[in-house]
Amino acid sequence: MRDATKVFPLTALAAALLAVIHNPAFAAEEGDELSQYTQPSSSVSIGVGVVNKDRPQFGIYDGMRDKGAYLLFDADIQKRDNETGTWKTFSVKDFGLDNREIRAEYLEQGKQGVAVEYSQTQSNAPYTINTNQVGIGTATQTTGANITNAAIGSGTNYQFGTERDKLGFNIYKNLKPGLDLRIKLSSENKEGNRITSNGSALFVADLIDWKTQQAEVTLSYTGDDLQLSGGYLGSRFENKNSLGYVSLGSTVMTQPLDNQAHQAFLSGVYSFSPSTKGNFKLAYTRATQNEALPTASISSLSYANIPSLRGEVNTKLVQLGLSSRPMPKLSLVANLRYHDVQDKTPQYTSVANTTGAGANVTVNTTPYSYKTTSGKVEGAYDLSQGYSVIAGIDYSEQDRTVYTDFGGTAYQAYVPYRSKLDEASYRIQLRKSLSETLNGSLAYLYSDRGGSDMTTSTQPGGASTGSVNLVSP
């Protein structure tokens, strides 16, 4: 039987509220498409929603998972001072539910403005968990007594899910004609439990307590021929429970480590002439993960000698583009892109078994760096009767890291691959415009891929992997 949701709008109350907040003098004239920008209108919607049974699947995200009644409240209130061009807006969406959004803004058009935003989002697992696991909702969980022989349904019921609370601020300021400053700040907390495993049949409730902060500062310039936009992007992630013990403390599970990233960027467009424009983008990003490894404090673990990952990845991006129409029927496009990812994370022996069946087996971290240069040249010429011919060349080359030695021991590379790779593609295409909504084309493409020889794969300890090296994918 399909669930049903019934809504009863309280039209009398909504009409009364609208009469208070809505000034008829500002009502938009019928047929005036620009009135929404100069003569704002407001609205309020109030109702009651009734869910006649639990809806675990459809209620994962909408805040109406359980059977019962829910308050439905939405509002969009807008005020504008026509003399100063000042806007005051306040909006509420799904205020009576667990998933809600609230936003308030003050804006002096062309001068300055500020906005505050808050949102709450829930994500609920669509099923109920019954388990004898002890310590649900903590960083230390144990299997309890006789969990493997426990009768089905004899444990405690749990409904898992996470909740996000996000607060944001937006600031706008016009510094001088053509020069604008925008600042965006946000902070989000995520808490709850999610279902996972320790790599076996053992059930685990992963405790979530994360905080993510983001910042964006943009300075924009708009001139007659030049438009520029540059600034800063930053993010910071904090995990308050990076380590968990499972099954009487015999199993250790780690969560994502604290990390942060910072980017400086500049992009722009320049008009050389009415028919020729160039564009570019420059960006540099530094991402780090330098939290002390939570397992470093456990002396019984063989990889406890790594105090911190000291992870660092630096990325450079350069993009250049040019578009031109030198003749009414001819258009040209050229693009060039350079992407350089340098992984500065040190190599570590993260796992080392000294006894048992896996004795003397080591697995190392794998810092991976690569540079990619790619470009495209394309031309299109319009023929008569709706035909056009398009020709182009695409080219890319990549240099990739190959680690062959670490601490005097050959590095494990189980899959051979090329350290250098290049590819060129050529194409020519005939296109026919059959109607305003239908096109047809016939194309011929030719690609040639090459590069360096395949690396030799090795087993732990440096031995060749034998038959694997007979195949070069």
Side-chain angles (χ1 to χ4, degrees):
M1 177 179 179
R2 188 178 65 179
D3 63 77
T5 301
K6 302 176 182 179
V7 179
F8 305 95
L10 304 182
T11 55
L13 179 57
L17 287 173
L18 281 173
V20 174
I21 65 174
H22 180 56
N23 189 339
F26 292 152
E29 297 180 4
E30 185 176 358
D32 184 2
E33 298 180 356
L34 299 179
S35 62
Q36 58 179 317
Y37 303 108
T38 59
Q39 302 176 6
S41 61
S42 301
S43 63
V44 175
S45 174
I46 302 177
V48 176
V50 178
V51 179
N52 64 353
K53 67 175 183 177
D54 292 345
R55 47 199 298 273
Q57 183 64 46
F58 292 100
I60 292 177
Y61 298 108
D62 66 4
M64 294 188 291
R65 184 185 191 277
D66 301 324
K67 176 182 178 180
Y70 295 89
L71 171 65
L72 305 178
F73 180 80
D74 297 317
D76 187 10
I77 302 172
Q78 302 184 52
K79 296 285 187 178
R80 183 179 188 273
D81 188 329
N82 287 336
E83 294 183 1
T84 62
T86 300
W87 285 79
K88 298 176 183 179
T89 62
F90 178 77
S91 62
V92 175
K93 182 179 180 182
D94 297 330
F95 185 75
L97 305 179
D98 291 331
N99 292 357
R100 56 179 67 91
E101 298 177 8
I102 303 174
R103 189 177 194 275
E105 182 179 18
Y106 174 87
L107 175 63
E108 296 182 42
Q109 286 182 284
K111 295 182 179 180
Q112 57 190 357
V114 61
V116 180
E117 301 172 324
Y118 172 78
S119 64
Q120 186 180 53
T121 306
Q122 283 195 350
S123 174
N124 299 300
Y127 28 72
T128 299
I129 297 295
N130 182 279
T131 179
N132 287 323
Q133 192 95 330
V134 179
I136 301 294
T138 70
T140 303
Q141 300 177 42
T142 61
T143 55
N146 300 321
I147 189 172
T148 56
N149 298 320
I152 296 177
S154 63
T156 303
N157 287 337
Y158 295 93
Q159 290 185 344
F160 286 11
T162 58
E163 180 177 308
R164 298 171 183 256
D165 292 282
K166 185 176 182 179
L167 181 64
F169 296 92
N170 299 332
I171 300 173
Y172 161 76
K173 177 66 176 178
N174 176 256
L175 303 178
K176 55 190 260 185
L179 188 62
D180 296 325
L181 174 66
R182 288 179 171 84
I183 301 175
K184 295 182 179 181
L185 305 173
S186 67
S187 179
E188 180 183 273
N189 293 315
K190 182 178 180 181
E191 298 180 350
N193 290 277
R194 66 180 180 183
I195 301 171
T196 184
S197 172
N198 70 336
S200 65
L202 181 64
F203 159 80
V204 178
D206 208 2
L207 180 62
I208 304 297
D209 193 352
W210 299 349
K211 184 176 184 178
T212 304
Q213 296 174 310
Q214 293 181 314
E216 179 179 353
V217 180
T218 305
L219 192 63
S220 302
Y221 169 77
T222 302
D224 295 335
D225 298 323
L226 177 65
Q227 294 85 44
L228 292 174
S229 178
Y232 163 82
L233 287 172
S235 67
R236 183 176 183 272
F237 172 80
E238 179 184 353
N239 184 0
K240 297 182 180 180
N241 298 294
S242 55
L243 180 66
Y245 290 86
V246 186
S247 183
L248 301 176
S250 61
T251 302
V252 179
M253 296 186 63
T254 61
Q255 291 190 3
L257 302 180
D258 296 355
N259 61 80
Q260 55 185 301
H262 307 274
Q263 181 187 90
F265 65 92
L266 177 65
S267 61
V269 177
Y270 183 76
S271 298
F272 296 97
S273 69
S275 61
T276 303
K277 295 183 178 181
N279 64 82
F280 73 93
K281 181 177 181 180
L282 308 174
Y284 177 81
T285 307
R286 183 175 184 266
T288 59
Q289 188 183 71
N290 200 29
E291 180 188 7
L293 296 182
T295 52
S297 61
I298 307 175
S299 59
S300 61
L301 298 178
S302 57
Y303 46 93
N305 60 337
I306 308 176
S308 173
L309 180 65
R310 290 189 289 164
E312 179 181 343
V313 178
N314 300 321
T315 304
K316 301 174 185 176
L317 175 65
V318 178
Q319 291 183 186
L320 302 174
L322 184 67
S323 61
S324 179
R325 183 177 284 272
M327 300 169 55
K329 293 186 176 183
L330 176 64
S331 60
L332 302 174
V333 175
N335 295 317
L336 180 63
R337 186 176 188 269
Y338 174 77
H339 189 214
D340 182 5
V341 178
Q342 295 295 319
D343 193 341
K344 301 295 185 180
T345 306
Q347 284 187 269
Y348 295 108
T349 301
S350 58
V351 177
N353 298 325
T354 57
T355 60
N360 300 322
V361 173
T362 61
V363 178
N364 305 319
T365 58
T366 56
Y368 179 64
S369 301
Y370 61 92
K371 297 179 182 179
T372 305
T373 303
S374 57
K376 178 181 76 172
V377 177
E378 182 180 276
Y381 188 81
D382 294 333
L383 304 174
S384 59
Q385 299 181 354
Y387 285 95
S388 61
V389 60
I390 302 171
I393 301 175
D394 295 69
Y395 178 79
S396 67
E397 62 178 17
Q398 187 176 73
D399 292 339
R400 304 186 284 189
T401 299
V402 177
Y403 292 102
T404 57
D405 184 81
F406 172 56
T409 303
Y411 175 70
Q412 302 86 32
Y414 291 92
V415 179
Y417 72 102
R418 302 179 190 270
S419 61
K420 295 183 181 294
L421 185 68
D422 58 76
E423 181 174 358
S425 299
Y426 309 87
R427 67 185 185 279
I428 185 168
Q429 179 181 9
L430 180 65
R431 179 181 296 175
K432 167 68 174 176
S433 179
L434 304 176
S435 69
E436 293 182 355
T437 58
L438 182 64
N439 295 323
S441 66
L442 177 66
Y444 174 78
L445 298 91
Y446 175 81
S447 295
D448 184 18
R449 174 179 291 186
S452 62
D453 294 335
M454 292 286 181
T455 60
T456 301
S457 57
T458 58
Q459 291 178 338
S464 172
T465 52
S467 59
V468 174
N469 285 312
L470 299 179
V471 179
S472 295

